[in-house]
Amino acid sequence: MAENVKELLKLHEGLAHEVYLDNENSSIVPPEVLEVMLPYWNKKAYGNPTLTHKPGWEAFETIMNCFGKISNYIGAKNLEELTFTPGETEANNLAIQAAAFLQKDKGKKIVISEIEPIYVLQVAELLSKYGFSTTKIPVNNEGFINLEKLKAAIDKETILVSMASVNNEIGTIQPIKEAVEIVKDKNSQTLFHTDASDAYGRIPLNVQNLGVDLATVSSFKIQGPRGMGALYVKDGLNLQRILEGSIGTQRLWPGIENTPLIVGFTKASELAFENFEANTTKMRTLRDKLIDGIFAELSNLRLNGPKDPKRSPDNANISILRAEGEALTIELSLSGVYVSSGSACSRRLLQPSHVLIAIGRIFEEAHGSILMKTTRYHTEADISYVLSVLPTAVNRIRGIVGSTGVH
């Protein structure tokens, strides 16, 4: 395996232009975020924030400032409503497991959509071992939750609903506020969690306006460092930890806070929200150029997910028939264009995306999908370059099976 990777990397030598569009799986940390993080490794605030010395006090002050800024960006009422975690996976685990066990005496029913991220589906599956049951609500062919079926699913046994604000694969912006109102009207004791990782920094997000009890946000989804996320927990909700260890500045997640990553996450958030309208407009403009250009050059395509204004401004997910997605990612990589195929979290299992299957895509369409996400750091030249190489890559792969599909 290692030798194969070395050979593949040699084939990439001498690339003149590289465009990274795989922001679903990881992200490039921009210089301004990296620079603000560096001093916190060894020059300032490198101490444990619970200890009584200068580096500890510096760390405490730094973390409190970061709590304040990110709390403000999501509309939390106070700092205590926010918990930093090592990522969105951990935040979702904390939210769903802790909420379920908090409510276990009121019922054992959890309701999610059938297109939730893998890490939500897997937590729900884990809880079945403890006697909880999961009901999955279907979506339509654009990925929107069926609100009537959601309403019908809520009963006195329903203790938790979890629904992503924006689907991470196809960019569908769910009607979370309306869903919360439906759930609370049927059972006011039911808690509502939203994974807002793909909403944060891309669409307006205010936990108070939405009425949610819990919300997850992610650092790398906004070009912050990996290994950092946060969970909003509504004031008065007495969740308990799911991990044990020494407690620092926050009650719900044990261990010493990772000050450099928290600082990086906060800086990335500042950059996303300082010029929010301009940033999202740029993402949308580049995303539209990308989608329109691909559809202008190729036939036998399917756009997965809705169009504007109900689609996240960064998301482009397209099924390209007669061009297997994994083969296309490799072909594009050789030209310096980096995308992902199928479900970001399950593609190595060689299974079709559960999201694409849920919206009615057949096996071939699901396996032929590519996912690309634009950012405020991309340029017109980047997208033009992608459009110059992508049809050729598709043509080559389709040629192998006897059809180019190129106009």
mmCIF file of all heavy atoms in Angstrom, residues 362-389:
data_model
loop_
_atom_site.group_PDB
_atom_site.id
_atom_site.type_symbol
_atom_site.label_atom_id
_atom_site.label_comp_id
_atom_site.label_asym_id
_atom_site.label_seq_id
_atom_site.Cartn_x
_atom_site.Cartn_y
_atom_site.Cartn_z
ATOM 1 N N ILE A 362 -30.282 6.104 -8.158
ATOM 2 C CA ILE A 362 -29.988 4.687 -8.322
ATOM 3 C C ILE A 362 -28.504 4.451 -8.040
ATOM 4 O O ILE A 362 -27.713 5.391 -7.931
ATOM 5 C CB ILE A 362 -30.366 4.183 -9.729
ATOM 6 C CG1 ILE A 362 -29.547 4.929 -10.806
ATOM 7 C CG2 ILE A 362 -31.857 4.343 -9.973
ATOM 8 C CD1 ILE A 362 -29.759 4.377 -12.209
ATOM 9 N N PHE A 363 -28.133 3.194 -7.944
ATOM 10 C CA PHE A 363 -26.771 2.806 -7.573
ATOM 11 C C PHE A 363 -25.734 3.489 -8.459
ATOM 12 O O PHE A 363 -24.743 4.048 -7.973
ATOM 13 C CB PHE A 363 -26.640 1.283 -7.671
ATOM 14 C CG PHE A 363 -25.352 0.741 -7.114
ATOM 15 C CD1 PHE A 363 -25.239 0.433 -5.774
ATOM 16 C CD2 PHE A 363 -24.255 0.533 -7.940
ATOM 17 C CE1 PHE A 363 -24.053 -0.083 -5.253
ATOM 18 C CE2 PHE A 363 -23.071 0.031 -7.434
ATOM 19 C CZ PHE A 363 -22.973 -0.276 -6.090
ATOM 20 N N GLU A 364 -25.942 3.481 -9.774
ATOM 21 C CA GLU A 364 -24.979 4.057 -10.707
ATOM 22 C C GLU A 364 -24.831 5.558 -10.486
ATOM 23 O O GLU A 364 -23.728 6.110 -10.519
ATOM 24 C CB GLU A 364 -25.424 3.799 -12.147
ATOM 25 C CG GLU A 364 -24.479 4.388 -13.198
ATOM 26 C CD GLU A 364 -25.032 4.286 -14.606
ATOM 27 O OE1 GLU A 364 -26.216 3.942 -14.763
ATOM 28 O OE2 GLU A 364 -24.272 4.573 -15.543
ATOM 29 N N GLU A 365 -25.944 6.233 -10.238
ATOM 30 C CA GLU A 365 -25.901 7.681 -10.014
ATOM 31 C C GLU A 365 -25.179 8.019 -8.715
ATOM 32 O O GLU A 365 -24.421 8.990 -8.643
ATOM 33 C CB GLU A 365 -27.323 8.246 -9.984
ATOM 34 C CG GLU A 365 -28.034 8.177 -11.330
ATOM 35 C CD GLU A 365 -29.511 8.516 -11.214
ATOM 36 O OE1 GLU A 365 -30.104 8.209 -10.146
ATOM 37 O OE2 GLU A 365 -30.071 9.066 -12.172
ATOM 38 N N ALA A 366 -25.428 7.209 -7.681
ATOM 39 C CA ALA A 366 -24.779 7.459 -6.392
ATOM 40 C C ALA A 366 -23.274 7.243 -6.480
ATOM 41 O O ALA A 366 -22.487 8.034 -5.951
ATOM 42 C CB ALA A 366 -25.390 6.559 -5.322
ATOM 43 N N HIS A 367 -22.860 6.176 -7.175
ATOM 44 C CA HIS A 367 -21.429 5.888 -7.289
ATOM 45 C C HIS A 367 -20.728 6.842 -8.242
ATOM 46 O O HIS A 367 -19.501 6.958 -8.201
ATOM 47 C CB HIS A 367 -21.215 4.444 -7.740
ATOM 48 C CG HIS A 367 -21.019 3.503 -6.584
ATOM 49 N ND1 HIS A 367 -19.998 3.637 -5.673
ATOM 50 C CD2 HIS A 367 -21.732 2.423 -6.181
ATOM 51 C CE1 HIS A 367 -20.070 2.680 -4.771
ATOM 52 N NE2 HIS A 367 -21.114 1.933 -5.048
ATOM 53 N N GLY A 368 -21.478 7.507 -9.090
ATOM 54 C CA GLY A 368 -20.872 8.451 -10.028
ATOM 55 C C GLY A 368 -20.915 9.884 -9.558
ATOM 56 O O GLY A 368 -20.735 10.809 -10.352
ATOM 57 N N SER A 369 -21.124 10.088 -8.274
ATOM 58 C CA SER A 369 -21.240 11.452 -7.759
ATOM 59 C C SER A 369 -19.882 12.015 -7.345
ATOM 60 O O SER A 369 -19.004 11.280 -6.888
ATOM 61 C CB SER A 369 -22.185 11.498 -6.560
ATOM 62 O OG SER A 369 -21.602 10.837 -5.450
ATOM 63 N N ILE A 370 -19.729 13.318 -7.532
ATOM 64 C CA ILE A 370 -18.572 14.019 -6.979
ATOM 65 C C ILE A 370 -19.077 15.201 -6.161
ATOM 66 O O ILE A 370 -20.069 15.843 -6.509
ATOM 67 C CB ILE A 370 -17.580 14.494 -8.063
ATOM 68 C CG1 ILE A 370 -18.251 15.402 -9.086
ATOM 69 C CG2 ILE A 370 -16.915 13.303 -8.729
ATOM 70 C CD1 ILE A 370 -17.265 16.054 -10.038
ATOM 71 N N LEU A 371 -18.402 15.447 -5.050
ATOM 72 C CA LEU A 371 -18.781 16.519 -4.135
ATOM 73 C C LEU A 371 -17.672 17.561 -4.098
ATOM 74 O O LEU A 371 -16.500 17.228 -3.885
ATOM 75 C CB LEU A 371 -19.013 15.950 -2.732
ATOM 76 C CG LEU A 371 -19.250 16.956 -1.599
ATOM 77 C CD1 LEU A 371 -20.462 17.835 -1.891
ATOM 78 C CD2 LEU A 371 -19.427 16.226 -0.271
ATOM 79 N N MET A 372 -18.045 18.818 -4.334
ATOM 80 C CA MET A 372 -17.098 19.930 -4.324
ATOM 81 C C MET A 372 -17.684 21.059 -3.490
ATOM 82 O O MET A 372 -18.879 21.319 -3.557
ATOM 83 C CB MET A 372 -16.836 20.419 -5.756
ATOM 84 C CG MET A 372 -16.269 19.350 -6.673
ATOM 85 S SD MET A 372 -16.383 19.778 -8.428
ATOM 86 C CE MET A 372 -18.133 19.476 -8.719
ATOM 87 N N LYS A 373 -16.822 21.721 -2.704
ATOM 88 C CA LYS A 373 -17.278 22.842 -1.889
ATOM 89 C C LYS A 373 -16.346 24.034 -2.079
ATOM 90 O O LYS A 373 -15.134 23.927 -1.856
ATOM 91 C CB LYS A 373 -17.360 22.447 -0.414
ATOM 92 C CG LYS A 373 -18.472 21.441 -0.138
ATOM 93 C CD LYS A 373 -18.668 21.179 1.336
ATOM 94 C CE LYS A 373 -19.852 20.245 1.568
ATOM 95 N NZ LYS A 373 -20.103 19.994 2.995
ATOM 96 N N THR A 374 -16.935 25.156 -2.470
ATOM 97 C CA THR A 374 -16.164 26.374 -2.660
ATOM 98 C C THR A 374 -15.988 27.108 -1.328
ATOM 99 O O THR A 374 -16.766 26.909 -0.386
ATOM 100 C CB THR A 374 -16.854 27.302 -3.662
ATOM 101 O OG1 THR A 374 -18.191 27.590 -3.199
ATOM 102 C CG2 THR A 374 -16.923 26.656 -5.040
ATOM 103 N N THR A 375 -14.982 27.956 -1.261
ATOM 104 C CA THR A 375 -14.723 28.756 -0.065
ATOM 105 C C THR A 375 -14.440 30.199 -0.485
ATOM 106 O O THR A 375 -14.283 30.496 -1.669
ATOM 107 C CB THR A 375 -13.503 28.234 0.719
ATOM 108 O OG1 THR A 375 -12.301 28.560 -0.015
ATOM 109 C CG2 THR A 375 -13.574 26.727 0.926
ATOM 110 N N ARG A 376 -14.327 31.060 0.500
ATOM 111 C CA ARG A 376 -14.002 32.460 0.226
ATOM 112 C C ARG A 376 -12.579 32.611 -0.300
ATOM 113 O O ARG A 376 -12.206 33.676 -0.813
ATOM 114 C CB ARG A 376 -14.176 33.299 1.499
ATOM 115 C CG ARG A 376 -13.297 32.897 2.654
ATOM 116 C CD ARG A 376 -13.623 33.698 3.913
ATOM 117 N NE ARG A 376 -12.800 33.319 5.059
ATOM 118 C CZ ARG A 376 -13.092 32.325 5.879
ATOM 119 N NH1 ARG A 376 -14.173 31.603 5.676
ATOM 120 N NH2 ARG A 376 -12.298 32.047 6.907
ATOM 121 N N TYR A 377 -11.770 31.575 -0.216
ATOM 122 C CA TYR A 377 -10.385 31.638 -0.668
ATOM 123 C C TYR A 377 -10.206 31.211 -2.120
ATOM 124 O O TYR A 377 -9.134 31.421 -2.692
ATOM 125 C CB TYR A 377 -9.494 30.777 0.239
ATOM 126 C CG TYR A 377 -9.435 31.296 1.650
ATOM 127 C CD1 TYR A 377 -10.216 30.736 2.660
ATOM 128 C CD2 TYR A 377 -8.630 32.385 1.972
ATOM 129 C CE1 TYR A 377 -10.180 31.234 3.951
ATOM 130 C CE2 TYR A 377 -8.594 32.886 3.262
ATOM 131 C CZ TYR A 377 -9.371 32.305 4.245
ATOM 132 O OH TYR A 377 -9.344 32.811 5.525
ATOM 133 N N HIS A 378 -11.210 30.611 -2.714
ATOM 134 C CA HIS A 378 -11.107 30.241 -4.123
ATOM 135 C C HIS A 378 -11.213 31.471 -5.018
ATOM 136 O O HIS A 378 -11.758 32.507 -4.612
ATOM 137 C CB HIS A 378 -12.192 29.220 -4.503
ATOM 138 C CG HIS A 378 -11.945 27.855 -3.952
ATOM 139 N ND1 HIS A 378 -12.789 27.236 -3.057
ATOM 140 C CD2 HIS A 378 -10.925 26.988 -4.154
ATOM 141 C CE1 HIS A 378 -12.309 26.042 -2.741
ATOM 142 N NE2 HIS A 378 -11.176 25.879 -3.392
ATOM 143 N N THR A 379 -10.726 31.334 -6.246
ATOM 144 C CA THR A 379 -10.745 32.439 -7.204
ATOM 145 C C THR A 379 -11.459 32.010 -8.488
ATOM 146 O O THR A 379 -11.677 30.812 -8.733
ATOM 147 C CB THR A 379 -9.321 32.881 -7.561
ATOM 148 O OG1 THR A 379 -8.660 31.796 -8.262
ATOM 149 C CG2 THR A 379 -8.526 33.236 -6.310
ATOM 150 N N GLU A 380 -11.765 32.995 -9.307
ATOM 151 C CA GLU A 380 -12.338 32.713 -10.630
ATOM 152 C C GLU A 380 -11.382 31.841 -11.437
ATOM 153 O O GLU A 380 -11.803 30.930 -12.156
ATOM 154 C CB GLU A 380 -12.610 34.019 -11.374
ATOM 155 C CG GLU A 380 -13.701 34.885 -10.772
ATOM 156 C CD GLU A 380 -15.086 34.512 -11.282
ATOM 157 O OE1 GLU A 380 -15.170 33.689 -12.219
ATOM 158 O OE2 GLU A 380 -16.076 35.036 -10.734
ATOM 159 N N ALA A 381 -10.081 32.116 -11.301
ATOM 160 C CA ALA A 381 -9.085 31.335 -12.033
ATOM 161 C C ALA A 381 -9.094 29.873 -11.596
ATOM 162 O O ALA A 381 -8.903 28.963 -12.419
ATOM 163 C CB ALA A 381 -7.700 31.942 -11.838
ATOM 164 N N ASP A 382 -9.315 29.640 -10.311
ATOM 165 C CA ASP A 382 -9.400 28.262 -9.811
ATOM 166 C C ASP A 382 -10.539 27.512 -10.484
ATOM 167 O O ASP A 382 -10.367 26.378 -10.955
ATOM 168 C CB ASP A 382 -9.622 28.256 -8.291
ATOM 169 C CG ASP A 382 -8.404 28.681 -7.508
ATOM 170 O OD1 ASP A 382 -7.272 28.493 -8.000
ATOM 171 O OD2 ASP A 382 -8.588 29.203 -6.388
ATOM 172 N N ILE A 383 -11.705 28.133 -10.514
ATOM 173 C CA ILE A 383 -12.870 27.466 -11.107
ATOM 174 C C ILE A 383 -12.686 27.276 -12.607
ATOM 175 O O ILE A 383 -13.049 26.221 -13.159
ATOM 176 C CB ILE A 383 -14.157 28.256 -10.798
ATOM 177 C CG1 ILE A 383 -14.325 28.452 -9.286
ATOM 178 C CG2 ILE A 383 -15.371 27.538 -11.385
ATOM 179 C CD1 ILE A 383 -14.302 27.180 -8.463
ATOM 180 N N SER A 384 -12.107 28.259 -13.267
ATOM 181 C CA SER A 384 -11.837 28.126 -14.706
ATOM 182 C C SER A 384 -10.897 26.957 -14.966
ATOM 183 O O SER A 384 -11.075 26.212 -15.944
ATOM 184 C CB SER A 384 -11.235 29.421 -15.254
ATOM 185 O OG SER A 384 -12.166 30.484 -15.180
ATOM 186 N N TYR A 385 -9.927 26.787 -14.088
ATOM 187 C CA TYR A 385 -9.002 25.671 -14.258
ATOM 188 C C TYR A 385 -9.727 24.333 -14.092
ATOM 189 O O TYR A 385 -9.508 23.397 -14.879
ATOM 190 C CB TYR A 385 -7.854 25.767 -13.260
ATOM 191 C CG TYR A 385 -6.874 24.623 -13.378
ATOM 192 C CD1 TYR A 385 -6.039 24.514 -14.489
ATOM 193 C CD2 TYR A 385 -6.803 23.632 -12.400
ATOM 194 C CE1 TYR A 385 -5.154 23.455 -14.621
ATOM 195 C CE2 TYR A 385 -5.918 22.571 -12.523
ATOM 196 C CZ TYR A 385 -5.098 22.489 -13.632
ATOM 197 O OH TYR A 385 -4.241 21.422 -13.768
ATOM 198 N N VAL A 386 -10.576 24.242 -13.081
ATOM 199 C CA VAL A 386 -11.343 23.014 -12.883
ATOM 200 C C VAL A 386 -12.173 22.697 -14.119
ATOM 201 O O VAL A 386 -12.207 21.550 -14.592
ATOM 202 C CB VAL A 386 -12.258 23.129 -11.645
ATOM 203 C CG1 VAL A 386 -13.152 21.898 -11.520
ATOM 204 C CG2 VAL A 386 -11.440 23.307 -10.370
ATOM 205 N N LEU A 387 -12.821 23.713 -14.668
ATOM 206 C CA LEU A 387 -13.667 23.509 -15.845
ATOM 207 C C LEU A 387 -12.849 23.172 -17.091
ATOM 208 O O LEU A 387 -13.383 22.602 -18.044
ATOM 209 C CB LEU A 387 -14.515 24.759 -16.092
ATOM 210 C CG LEU A 387 -15.558 25.066 -15.010
ATOM 211 C CD1 LEU A 387 -16.258 26.390 -15.288
ATOM 212 C CD2 LEU A 387 -16.586 23.937 -14.906
ATOM 213 N N SER A 388 -11.576 23.490 -17.060
ATOM 214 C CA SER A 388 -10.730 23.148 -18.208
ATOM 215 C C SER A 388 -10.259 21.701 -18.186
ATOM 216 O O SER A 388 -9.939 21.128 -19.233
ATOM 217 C CB SER A 388 -9.516 24.088 -18.264
ATOM 218 O OG SER A 388 -8.565 23.770 -17.257
ATOM 219 N N VAL A 389 -10.204 21.103 -16.979
ATOM 220 C CA VAL A 389 -9.693 19.735 -16.885
ATOM 221 C C VAL A 389 -10.783 18.701 -16.627
ATOM 222 O O VAL A 389 -10.623 17.526 -16.997
ATOM 223 C CB VAL A 389 -8.603 19.626 -15.790
ATOM 224 C CG1 VAL A 389 -7.459 20.582 -16.077
ATOM 225 C CG2 VAL A 389 -9.166 19.874 -14.404
#
